[in-house]
């Protein structure tokens, strides 16, 4: 969590909220609180604020579980691909639904699909 604070510049109050979220998700999912903290670190690197990180943590954990992907990697892929596609955090639920649907119907893994977004996201955004 100290990494999250260093990167995000979150206040002590915000850090308490984020730490509680990491612990709660560690207790409610197949991921540990430490893994959740690592995922929060990637969200902080992407410039997500405390509210966005707290709201994004569970959906990213669920994506990680569905794709059998390391949680930190899933968080990194989500934040980077959303940036490449110029999506905002409010678009996260719809984006993850689209990723899950596409993966299930395209004979490709979530990891591979999101890597593709990193490569083609800028062009896709330009083309609308």
């Amino acid at each position: 969590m100290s990494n999250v604070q260093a990167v995000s510049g979150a206040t002590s109050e915000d850090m308490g909220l984020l730490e509680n979220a990491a612990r709660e998700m560690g207790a409610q999912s197949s991921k540990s609180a430490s893994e959740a903290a690592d995922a929060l670190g990637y969200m902080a690197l992407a410039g997500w604020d405390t509210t966005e990180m707290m709201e994004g943590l569970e959906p990213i954990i669920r994506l990680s579980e569905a794709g059998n992907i390391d949680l930190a990697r899933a968080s990194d892929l989500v934040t980077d691909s959303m940036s490449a596609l110029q999506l905002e955090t409010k678009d996260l639920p719809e984006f993850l639904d689209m990723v899950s649907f596409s993966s299930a119907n395209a004979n490709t893994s979530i990891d591979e699909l999101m890597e593709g977004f990193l490569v083609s996201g800028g062009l896709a955004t330009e083309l609308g």
Side-chain angles (χ1 to χ4, degrees), residues 48 50-60 89 92:
W48 291 19
T50 300
T51 301
E52 292 167 332
M53 287 188 277
M54 289 176 52
E55 290 174 356
L57 185 58
E58 183 173 3
I60 292 173
T89 56
L92 180 65

Side-chain angles (χ1 to χ4, degrees), residues 11-93:
T11 65
S12 296
E13 182 180 328
D14 286 344
M15 287 307 301
L17 294 171
L18 291 170
E19 186 172 336
N20 287 340
R23 288 178 193 268
E24 182 178 325
M25 290 312 305
Q28 295 179 4
S29 72
S30 65
K31 306 300 180 180
S32 70
S34 178
E35 289 171 306
D38 290 342
L40 290 169
Y42 282 101
M43 292 178 222
L45 282 170
W48 291 19
D49 65 27
T50 300
T51 301
E52 292 167 332
M53 287 188 277
M54 289 176 52
E55 290 174 356
L57 185 58
E58 183 173 3
I60 292 173
I61 286 174
R62 300 302 173 215
L63 180 76
S64 168
E65 292 171 333
N68 196 26
I69 307 167
D70 174 79
L71 181 53
R73 172 134 176 88
S75 183
D76 189 30
L77 286 170
V78 168
T79 57
D80 288 354
S81 60
M82 287 182 69
S83 178
L85 293 166
Q86 296 182 0
L87 298 174
E88 299 177 16
T89 56
K90 68 178 177 57
D91 302 316
L92 180 65

Side-chain angles (χ1 to χ4, degrees), residues 63 66 96-110 113:
L63 180 76
L96 294 183
D97 286 346
M98 184 267 310
V99 167
S100 297
F101 178 83
S102 298
S103 174
N105 291 287
N107 193 28
T108 188
S109 71
I110 290 172
L113 181 61

